[in-house]
């Protein structure tokens, strides 16, 4: 489908004039693209609203008559001046869709501030509204998933998007393998954000072979052929080995597209059957890093929980991107309590939750956040062999706090703790226990004498000073009299 709309511009001390840019609207398998003759002000656009005080309504919506609001992400192509609104998790279903671009000062406008004249009446400020229809189809769909993986200044995060038997890489799937004898396609990507090797990890039947050719930087060509057909139903046809290059711009995103697709079936002979290539969105961040600070923290877990319960629709640091792409670390096509738990535990120790790749060495540009002071009670009395509770307190203010990450050490010659993850010696207490909604994880290493704690909440704390947790220690039977610092 093709359509057009206008930008309106002001000239200093002149009447309002309109300049026809002749952009186009094109529906695709994965969503809709709209090309603009002049770049919009990207800094004010968003699809999803996070925890900041300002209410940020979506600047673009795609709604189906039957499928309702389409969950998706924005991706900007600066060279082509094209914006894509990409559906998460597969192609658009058969339906009649309405695309709306909202013209307002914090919506669709030029960098110079000219508002979108979406209704083409010569007056700035009209929303652009167009409808298009996706017809029912039996075409085979070959898809690349949506995912997040990022890099530091020195190294990239590992790219392993499937947990089944530890298989590496980015899976490429076909919606129905019945009778399929060959699949040919190009993978087109941005090499500044992700690099696909000229090798692959095969998952096809033994009778199939794969030929791979790195045609150019950002384009890889694959030809998969077999002497027997694929099985019926959805099939994984290959996994693309990939890496994230060092210094990939943190927070950027791009579409990994399938082009030149041909699917050959036994019944169709040499003539390709109808097929659709479904693009995947790659977000260049560490999966689960909801606040874009380059770490796994309790705040990440808390914000994930907030989206899950509907307190907000996304993450302010990733307002163009579906929050499921950012934080669905257990890869079940949505956010749930397990995502928050896994992110929290990964922040405690890189040895926990191996499903989430470890953070690579190096650094990214980080952002500041709430930084309360946490302290233990100055003196807790105990005798040898006794188990005591050591209170932890916030001594200044917890206002606005979504999460707490802290760790401390102790003398293993004098004190013992229960070893391992959530061993029962760290419990919520005081104002965090009274302020409902807090979750807590802990990881104790009795050999090295460290305790790490991560507590998180779906909405900001309204408390100030007070106790947040108790940590149980056992004084060793042979401990001499005196003070033991922690």
């Amino acid at each position: 489908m093709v359509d057009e709309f206008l930008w309106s511009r002001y000239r200093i001390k002149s009447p309002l004039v309109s300049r026809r840019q002749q952009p186009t609207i094109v529906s695709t398998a994965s969503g809709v693209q709209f090309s603009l003759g002049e770049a919009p002000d990207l800094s004010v656009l968003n699809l999803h609203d996070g925890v900041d005080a300002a209410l940020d309504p979506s600047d673009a919506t795609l709604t189906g008559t039957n499928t309702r609001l389409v969950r998706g992400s924005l991706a900007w192509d600066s060279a082509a001046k094209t914006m894509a609104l990409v559906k998460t998790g597969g192609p658009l279903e058969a339906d009649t869709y309405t695309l709306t671009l909202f013209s307002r000062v914090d919506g669709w406008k030029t960098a110079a501030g000219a508002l979108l004249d979406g209704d083409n009446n010569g007056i700035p400020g009209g929303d652009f509204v167009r409808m298009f229809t996706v017809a029912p189809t039996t075409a085979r769909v070959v898809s690349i998933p949506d995912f997040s993986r990022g890099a530091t200044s020195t190294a990239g995060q590992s790219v392993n998007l499937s947990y089944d038997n530890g298989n590496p890489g980015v899976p490429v799937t076909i919606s129905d393998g019945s009778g399929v004898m060959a699949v040919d396609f190009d993978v087109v990507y941005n090499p500044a954000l992700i690099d696909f090797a000229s090798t692959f990890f095969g998952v096809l039947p033994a009778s199939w072979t794969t030929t791979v050719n790195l045609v150019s930087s950002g384009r890889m060509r694959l030809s998969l052929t077999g002497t027997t057909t694929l099985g019926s139903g959805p099939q994984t046809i290959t996994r693309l080995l990939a890496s994230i290059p060092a210094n990939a711009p943190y927070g950027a995103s791009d579409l990994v597209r399938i082009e030149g697709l041909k699917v050959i079936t036994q019944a169709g002979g040499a003539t390709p059957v109808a097929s659709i290539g479904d693009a995947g969105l790659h977000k260049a961040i560490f999966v689960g890093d909801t606040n874009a600070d380059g770490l796994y923290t309790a705040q990440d877990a808390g914000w994930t929980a907030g989206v899950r319960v509907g307190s907000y629709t996304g993450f302010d640091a990733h307002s163009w991107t579906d929050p499921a792409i950012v934080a669905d670390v257990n890869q079940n096509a949505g956010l749930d309590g397990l995502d928050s738990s896994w992110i929290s535990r990964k922040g405690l120790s890189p040895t926990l939750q191996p499903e989430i790749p470890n953070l690579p060495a190096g650094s990214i540009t980080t952002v500041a956040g709430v930084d309360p002071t946490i302290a233990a009670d100055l003196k807790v009395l105990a005798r040898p062999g006794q188990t005591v509770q050591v209170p932890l307190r916030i001594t200044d203010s917890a206002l606005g706090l979504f999460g707490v990450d802290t760790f401390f050490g102790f003398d293993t010659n004098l004190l013992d703790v229960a070893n391992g993850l959530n061993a029962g010696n760290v419990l919520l207490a005081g104002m965090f226990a009274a302020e409902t909604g807090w979750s807590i994880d802990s990881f104790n290493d009795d050999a090295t004498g460290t305790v790490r704690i991560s507590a998180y909440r779906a909405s900001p704390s309204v408390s100030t000073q007070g106790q947040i947790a108790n940590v149980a220690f056992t004084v060793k039977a042979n401990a001499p009299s005196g003070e033991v610092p922690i």
Side-chain angles (χ1 to χ4, degrees), residues 315-333:
F315 308 115
D316 287 316
H318 314 293
S319 61
W320 285 21
T321 307
D322 185 341
I325 297 175
V326 174
D328 180 20
V329 293
N330 66 3
Q331 296 182 10
N332 66 352

Side-chain angles (χ1 to χ4, degrees), residues 214-268:
L214 193 60
V215 177
S216 61
S217 178
R219 182 177 291 269
M220 184 171 65
R221 183 161 296 161
L222 292 91
S223 179
L224 298 79
T225 60
T227 58
T228 59
T229 63
L230 296 179
S232 61
Q235 301 289 330
T236 299
I237 58 176
T238 191
R239 299 187 194 275
L240 306 174
L241 299 186
S243 60
I244 309 300
N247 279 320
Y250 202 77
S253 57
D254 191 48
L255 293 180
V256 181
R257 305 190 307 276
I258 291 177
E259 294 185 354
L261 175 64
K262 295 180 181 179
V263 176
I264 303 296
T265 63
Q266 190 175 50

Side-chain angles (χ1 to χ4, degrees), residues 333-478:
L335 297 183
D336 56 28
L338 195 59
D339 293 312
S340 294
S341 178
W342 282 16
I343 294 169
S344 170
R345 294 176 183 184
K346 193 67 178 181
L348 293 173
S349 172
T351 63
L352 300 174
Q353 302 308 144
E355 301 88 350
I356 303 176
N358 290 339
L359 298 177
S363 62
I364 67 164
T365 301
T366 58
V367 295
V370 180
D371 190 18
T373 301
I374 300 174
D377 280 11
L378 289 179
K379 288 186 181 293
V380 178
L381 299 178
R383 293 184 292 273
Q386 184 180 1
T387 298
V388 294
Q389 303 290 332
V390 176
L392 296 182
R393 304 180 188 277
I394 290 180
T395 60
D396 39 21
S397 178
L399 281 174
L401 201 66
F402 282 87
V404 173
D405 294 287
T406 188
F407 73 95
F408 50 88
F410 61 93
D411 189 337
T412 58
N413 295 311
L414 303 175
L415 300 174
D416 272 329
V417 296
N419 204 47
L421 174 67
N422 293 336
N425 71 309
V426 179
L427 300 174
L428 290 171
M431 68 179 185
F432 273 16
E435 191 178 51
T436 58
W438 283 95
S439 299
I440 193 166
D441 289 307
S442 61
F443 185 70
N444 307 324
D445 190 337
D446 195 41
T448 61
T450 57
V451 175
R452 295 180 179 272
I453 298 172
S454 173
Y456 57 92
R457 191 169 186 254
S459 55
S461 175
V462 295
S463 301
T464 53
Q465 301 174 345
Q467 184 180 0
I468 61 174
N470 280 322
V471 183
F473 290 93
T474 298
V475 182
K476 289 193 172 181
N478 59 354

Side-chain angles (χ1 to χ4, degrees), residues 183-185 198-213 220-226 237-240:
V183 184
D184 298 332
F185 59 94
S198 57
T199 57
F200 69 99
F201 182 85
V203 295
L204 291 168
S207 61
W208 279 63
T209 60
T210 302
T211 303
V212 182
N213 179 22
M220 184 171 65
R221 183 161 296 161
L222 292 91
S223 179
L224 298 79
T225 60
I237 58 176
T238 191
R239 299 187 194 275
L240 306 174

